[in-house]
Amino acid sequence: MNAIPPLNRPDAAYNFAYLDEATKRMIRRAILKALAIPGHQIPFGAREMPLPYGWGTGGIQVTAAILGPRDVLKVIDQGADDTTNAVSIRRFFARVADVQTTTRTADASIIQTRHRIPERALTEGQVMVFQVPMPEPLFKLEPRLAETRRLHALGDYSLAQVKLYEDIAKQGESGSSYAHPVMVGGRYLMSPSPIPGFDNPKLHNSPAIMLFGAGREKKIYAVPPYTTVESLDFDDHPFKPVRAPQRCTACGSTTSYLDEIIADDQGGRMFVCSDTDHCAENQGI
Amino acid sequence: MRPAFTDTVFGAQQSFRALMEAIARPGRLQDCDVLPDIPEGLEPAAAAALLTLADAETPVWTDAQGDAREWIAFHTGAPLVDDPARAQFLLATAAMPALATLDRGTDETPQDSATLILQVGALATDSGWLLTGPGIETVHHLHVTGAPADFVAQWSANHAGFPRGVDLFLCAGARLAALPRTTRIEEAG
Amino acid sequence: MYVAVKGGEAAIGAAHGWLAHRRRGDTALAELSPEQIQEQLGLAVDRVMAEGSCHDRALAALAIKQARGDLIEAAFLLRAYRNTLSRFVACEPIDTGAMRVQRRISATYKDLPGGQVLGPTFDYTHRLLDFALAAEGLPPEAPEEAEAADGTMPRVTELLAREGLMSRDKLGTDEAPPDLTREPLPFPTPRPLRLQALARGDEGFLLGLGYSTQRGYGNAHPFVAELRMGEVEVMLAPAELGFAISIGDVTVTECQMVNQFAGSAATPPQFTRGYGLAMGHGERRAMAMALVDRALMAKELGEEATAPAQDAEFVLLHADNVEATGFVEHLKLPHHVDFQSELEKLRSIRARWQAERDAAAPIQEAAE
């Protein structure tokens, strides 16, 4: 048995990673079942966290339940390590778990994210934890949970297909640019969380474990490694991941997902990588 | 009474990560050596799995007797049930209860199904069954010493009921591998 | 050369420093103590306890101070703290029938055993700003009847039930009740969980929903059978003792609202009750809760359920102001990645629209 590094936690009043052990056990049970039923939403007894609902409480609870002293944690929001909410969540775990943190995708064992999947290919040793605001992919079409639960049981996703058909008929393409629903393992329709469609293909057959936590909606779901994840589409209108057709002003990348920055009030704009670690690596920083 | 995890927090965390890796990558062996001193009849990985997952909220069935049974009851706090069909977690140290008799959940709540922790003689990945399905890039091999003769037939019926189904952890000594309900098993030709 | 905005950490630190400064306000004025809040803003404290799901006046007062008087923020602070507390044992159900009543009124009977007790109420005050309160003055004179009434007062609904006119609630079983704070809400939702969710729901949301049932959104004909407020004992029955012991008193407000029920093939026409309970003194909350509780029974009673207040999913999933404020306010977080994908989507759709229009234009000209 390997020795566990000594702990030096500033907030010893709380348990390691904040949650009590019974709560962690409950979340861990949900995670295992989520991995056994890819794409199926598992209800769990989400707790109030000291950060607001909607600000990552689901992801934080999942991270807290899996995190250990040997992990290296990376937290991103909109692809960046330095956005305020990413900073706040990273500080939370530094405070309650004294865990090593990093901004480098390659060095992280756990990556908690809001709205992006890193550009760099993930590896088998890594776990992605997604913060999810609305786990139900059908919620805009059918808000009733009792009803959507029935539709998932039947595998009846005609509502989503009809919506996509109408979008294409009306405007020539799908209406959703982010949180575009995916079929997992050919069985469950799943919200990939509000990642841009550009990131959807990264979920398909990834070597990494993908965990999704929705705190306010009290759901956990997962995509195991090497699992088929197909964006909802039609054969004659295949799903197209979209990025701004520009190059990054900072690193010159023509393949990464870009943020558009308003440069002046004359309509001038520039484009830079949303993934700050990827951009820095490209620049040799 | 023999002790449980030396460190309650990190013992459970380390053991859980082994379980999570195992179920995410069916058939891959994981080390789970966090219980150096357990009662006779229990294997370290199997005992750690149960300790990590079961508590007062989860009915447990086990065929373990004597000290081993008392140890489980005391350290998990779980209600021990006699009927395998009513258990959320099962720890089988000898004969495996028939998979078809266990709780497989419902179509709306397939997550309510049982998790079976099965102690087996040995696990190896250089030969044996061919595993495919989510979590497996192409194919994994798993050889299990001590599984029931009709295991593959029982498993195919379990797999066919997806999304309903039982999930299985196979434990030998301090090592374990998982078979989630999504895994297809073929006998090696 | 573009330089990504750095320094989120420094910005957060500076913002929180500024917040602390604002919270204190003008230092020439005396600092407000949690004790003063507890004593002089007691109804705010009670609301925060109810929505924070934690009966502790001192902590609620501290939360109000820390939250600069933002009561939803204060409820959130209290909830997050509550979540870290170990639970040792469940207390016995409180007996509001044995309440030491400070206020008890019934709108359905002119007089009744135990009488009408007005107690400390805003009712019948004239809502004229009292400028005397703006100046420091002498404390008000001690009231003549500030003591809790002696003797138990029978519940009005029980009087009706004895006559067979009121349905009796099913008595509790020995099974531990489900706990909203441990398990996610199931749908359909059993009544104990509905009541738990309403008891900590946002007062304004409950009020609006309750009000809607009076205006025709739901077929309600409510009467306040009884509204009572006072102290009840909290009892514990430790297994090793074998009997219950009192661990203290809490103030609660209870409302029993009677409502007509047309009856069904199996049940004769009778009254049904909507139930409201609030920690502390919270009459508006208890009354609104009772209205909504009754509205949510529609399906079970075989009534037509078409109004928002009768829709359990709608009511219970939107009543929690800690959840609601988090999700509404999360829109302040950066969303530029999603917005960028929306921009590209809109540009693409507009380009297609323009191309189709341009293609159609020459044909139209030719026709003219």
Side-chain angles (χ1 to χ4, degrees):
Chain A
M1 187 174 145
N2 300 331
I4 285 160
L7 285 178
N8 176 25
R9 289 194 286 121
D11 239 333
Y14 295 105
N15 191 25
F16 177 82
Y18 183 78
L19 296 177
D20 60 276
E21 290 301 302
T23 300
K24 286 184 194 169
R25 251 194 316 274
M26 176 269 295
I27 295 171
R28 287 167 180 166
R29 290 193 290 258
I31 291 172
L32 295 186
K33 286 298 179 191
L35 285 163
I37 317 166
H40 171 64
Q41 302 166 53
I42 317 275
F44 81 111
R47 307 291 194 244
E48 271 98 7
M49 299 300 284
L51 281 77
Y53 282 122
W55 297 53
T57 56
I60 292 168
Q61 288 180 80
V62 169
T63 298
I66 67 174
L67 189 69
R70 290 188 207 125
D71 280 307
V72 179
L73 177 68
K74 172 180 165 84
V75 184
I76 51 172
D77 188 332
Q78 315 296 298
D81 299 89
D82 59 357
T83 39
T84 40
N85 205 45
V87 169
S88 165
I89 291 171
R90 195 162 53 240
R91 272 173 22 147
F92 174 72
F93 280 113
R95 180 171 176 177
V96 299
D98 190 35
V99 68
Q100 192 189 337
T101 60
T102 184
T103 59
R104 298 184 64 86
T105 301
D107 296 343
S109 61
I110 298 174
I111 302 172
Q112 179 167 331
T113 180
R114 179 168 166 264
H115 296 192
R116 275 311 312 272
I117 299 175
E119 306 289 357
R120 167 187 267 275
L122 300 170
T123 62
E124 288 205 349
Q126 296 184 308
V127 183
M128 287 288 300
V129 178
F130 293 80
Q131 300 172 200
V132 182
M134 293 302 284
E136 177 47 65
L138 299 169
F139 84 95
K140 286 183 182 163
L141 308 170
E142 172 52 72
R144 272 155 222 286
L145 298 178
E147 178 61 14
T148 54
R149 193 174 66 176
R150 199 181 66 82
L151 294 175
H152 284 293
L154 295 170
D156 177 353
Y157 299 126
S158 50
L159 279 175
Q161 281 152 347
V162 168
K163 170 71 168 59
L164 183 60
Y165 176 82
E166 285 175 353
D167 283 352
I168 292 171
K170 213 181 293 172
Q171 60 193 28
E173 58 186 273
S174 149
S176 63
S177 57
Y178 60 92
H180 184 87
V182 291
M183 281 299 286
V184 179
R187 174 58 180 82
Y188 280 103
L189 191 73
M190 182 188 97
S191 168
S193 87
I195 56 173
F198 177 82
D199 283 343
N200 276 18
K202 296 176 188 165
L203 290 165
H204 178 65
N205 282 337
S206 170
I209 296 174
M210 309 278 183
L211 304 177
F212 297 78
R216 190 179 40 74
E217 297 286 333
K218 302 176 176 58
K219 297 276 168 53
I220 284 172
Y221 54 100
V223 178
Y226 307 117
T227 300
T228 60
V229 178
E230 288 149 336
S231 299
L232 196 68
D233 65 0
F234 294 117
D235 290 343
D236 54 346
H237 274 91
F239 176 78
K240 270 189 288 214
V242 174
R243 67 184 284 281
Q246 268 84 9
R247 51 188 290 143
C248 171
T249 309
C251 77
S253 173
T254 55
T255 55
S256 71
Y257 191 80
L258 300 174
D259 289 342
E260 183 170 332
I261 314 271
I262 306 287
D264 54 42
D265 58 3
Q266 310 295 314
R269 34 176 104 78
M270 60 175 85
F271 293 82
V272 290
C273 292
S274 125
D275 183 335
T276 48
D277 173 61
H278 178 72
C279 195
E281 196 174 26
N282 283 349
Q283 296 174 68
I285 299 173
Chain B
M1 181 73 61
R2 286 166 198 271
F5 295 125
T6 323
D7 185 314
T8 317
V9 173
F10 298 116
Q13 189 273 337
Q14 203 178 334
S15 162
F16 171 71
R17 285 295 277 277
L19 295 168
M20 183 173 90
E21 283 295 324
I23 207 153
R25 306 175 196 283
R28 285 263 183 92
L29 296 190
Q30 310 293 332
D31 286 320
C32 187
D33 195 6
V34 288
L35 285 171
D37 183 21
I38 48 174
E40 195 165 334
L42 297 182
E43 301 277 354
L50 194 62
L51 221 50
T52 302
L53 299 174
D55 59 24
E57 293 174 14
T58 60
V60 167
W61 175 92
T62 181
D63 59 359
Q65 298 301 324
D67 286 354
R69 192 179 184 83
E70 276 174 36
W71 185 88
I72 290 168
F74 179 81
H75 285 301
T76 63
L80 295 185
V81 296
D82 294 329
D83 180 1
R86 288 190 48 232
Q88 191 172 343
F89 290 97
L90 301 100
L91 173 58
T93 61
M96 180 181 95
L99 295 180
T101 62
L102 307 184
D103 187 348
R104 298 196 300 145
T106 68
D107 284 336
E108 288 198 3
T109 58
Q111 70 276 9
D112 290 349
S113 68
T115 301
L116 170 61
I117 301 163
L118 180 64
Q119 293 190 173
V120 295
L123 294 167
T125 57
D126 52 355
S127 65
W129 301 331
L130 304 176
L131 312 184
T132 53
I136 300 167
E137 189 173 13
T138 50
V139 64
H140 286 172
H141 288 277
L142 184 66
H143 186 267
V144 181
T145 309
D150 65 344
F151 182 86
V152 173
Q154 286 199 42
W155 185 261
S156 327
N158 183 57
H159 169 75
F162 187 84
R164 300 174 65 209
V166 173
D167 305 304
L168 179 59
F169 288 101
L170 298 155
C171 303
R175 302 216 289 178
L176 62 89
L179 294 175
R181 64 195 83 178
T182 47
T183 303
R184 287 177 296 275
I185 303 182
E186 286 172 65
E187 308 262 18
Chain C
M1 179 65 200
Y2 170 78
V3 180
V5 182
K6 296 275 177 195
E9 192 123 5
I12 290 174
H16 294 173
W18 198 352
L19 171 70
H21 186 74
R22 276 287 164 86
R23 174 188 301 129
R24 176 60 183 88
D26 184 351
T27 51
L29 298 170
E31 185 173 354
L32 195 57
S33 73
E35 292 76 14
Q36 286 174 310
I37 294 171
Q38 230 186 111
E39 288 300 313
Q40 297 176 42
L41 298 175
L43 296 183
V45 169
D46 289 348
R47 177 169 178 181
V48 168
M49 287 199 309
E51 291 171 3
S53 273
C54 181
H55 194 289
D56 190 315
R57 296 183 61 81
L59 287 179
L62 174 63
I64 290 169
K65 176 174 175 172
Q66 185 177 336
R68 303 178 61 200
D70 178 337
L71 299 188
I72 293 180
E73 178 71 18
F76 178 22
L77 286 168
L78 200 54
R79 287 250 198 117
Y81 176 77
R82 170 197 197 280
N83 187 34
T84 65
L85 301 176
S86 302
R87 50 183 57 205
F88 300 111
V89 65
C91 69
E92 300 289 296
I94 55 171
D95 180 5
T96 52
M99 179 185 283
R100 293 173 55 225
V101 164
Q102 294 169 33
R103 169 161 166 77
R104 186 270 198 126
I105 54 166
S106 169
T108 50
Y109 293 97
K110 185 171 185 188
D111 200 4
L112 68 169
Q116 308 261 15
V117 181
L118 270 187
T121 178
F122 291 122
D123 296 351
Y124 317 113
T125 63
H126 296 150
R127 270 61 170 206
L128 303 168
L129 273 176
D130 181 356
F131 293 101
L133 288 175
E136 283 182 57
L138 297 172
E141 283 177 33
E144 279 173 31
E145 264 188 277
E147 287 305 305
D150 287 332
T152 58
M153 296 185 183
R155 290 197 190 87
V156 172
T157 46
E158 180 55 28
L159 302 176
L160 288 167
R162 278 182 211 158
E163 209 184 322
L165 292 175
M166 164 68 76
S167 71
R168 283 186 198 272
D169 289 331
K170 290 192 194 93
L171 291 175
T173 61
D174 287 341
E175 270 181 47
D179 185 342
L180 173 69
T181 67
R182 314 297 282 183
E183 300 287 335
L185 272 181
F187 293 97
T189 314
R191 191 163 175 231
L193 284 175
R194 298 202 300 253
L195 290 169
Q196 287 172 32
L198 296 176
R200 65 186 207 157
D202 181 74
E203 184 169 314
F205 185 77
L206 296 179
L207 180 65
L209 280 174
Y211 177 46
S212 74
T213 67
Q214 293 177 278
R215 291 195 66 262
Y217 290 87
N219 186 24
H221 307 278
F223 296 92
V224 173
E226 191 175 359
L227 180 66
R228 55 168 67 189
M229 182 276 291
E231 288 188 332
V232 293
E233 271 190 318
V234 179
M235 307 292 284
L236 270 191
E240 59 271 27
L241 274 187
F243 55 88
I245 51 168
S246 170
I247 57 164
D249 298 322
V250 295
T251 297
V252 295
T253 308
E254 180 185 65
C255 176
Q256 306 236 24
M257 197 75 85
V258 294
N259 230 297
Q260 229 187 75
F261 169 52
S264 64
T267 316
Q270 58 183 319
F271 290 121
T272 53
R273 88 183 81 191
Y275 186 76
L277 187 82
M279 289 191 205
H281 189 181
E283 296 182 14
R284 186 187 300 121
R285 157 180 296 280
M287 292 175 72
M289 175 176 165
L291 290 173
V292 178
D293 172 47
R294 174 59 184 81
L296 290 177
M297 290 177 201
K299 274 191 187 148
E300 285 150 20
L301 294 172
E303 297 171 338
E304 195 185 19
T306 51
Q310 295 168 318
D311 182 335
E313 268 210 44
F314 179 78
V315 171
L316 302 178
L317 288 180
H318 301 104
D320 191 300
N321 57 20
V322 177
E323 289 176 3
T325 198
F327 200 45
V328 167
E329 294 198 52
H330 107 285
L331 294 170
K332 292 182 284 191
L333 292 176
H335 282 78
H336 53 256
V337 162
D338 296 348
F339 189 68
Q340 185 64 39
S341 62
E342 286 282 279
L343 276 176
E344 296 302 333
K345 171 70 65 182
L346 189 58
R347 284 171 182 149
S348 159
I349 293 169
R350 280 174 64 96
R352 186 175 289 106
W353 181 84
Q354 190 64 47
E356 282 169 11
R357 212 173 113 110
D358 292 349
I363 301 166
Q364 202 171 2
E365 276 167 28
E368 282 166 7

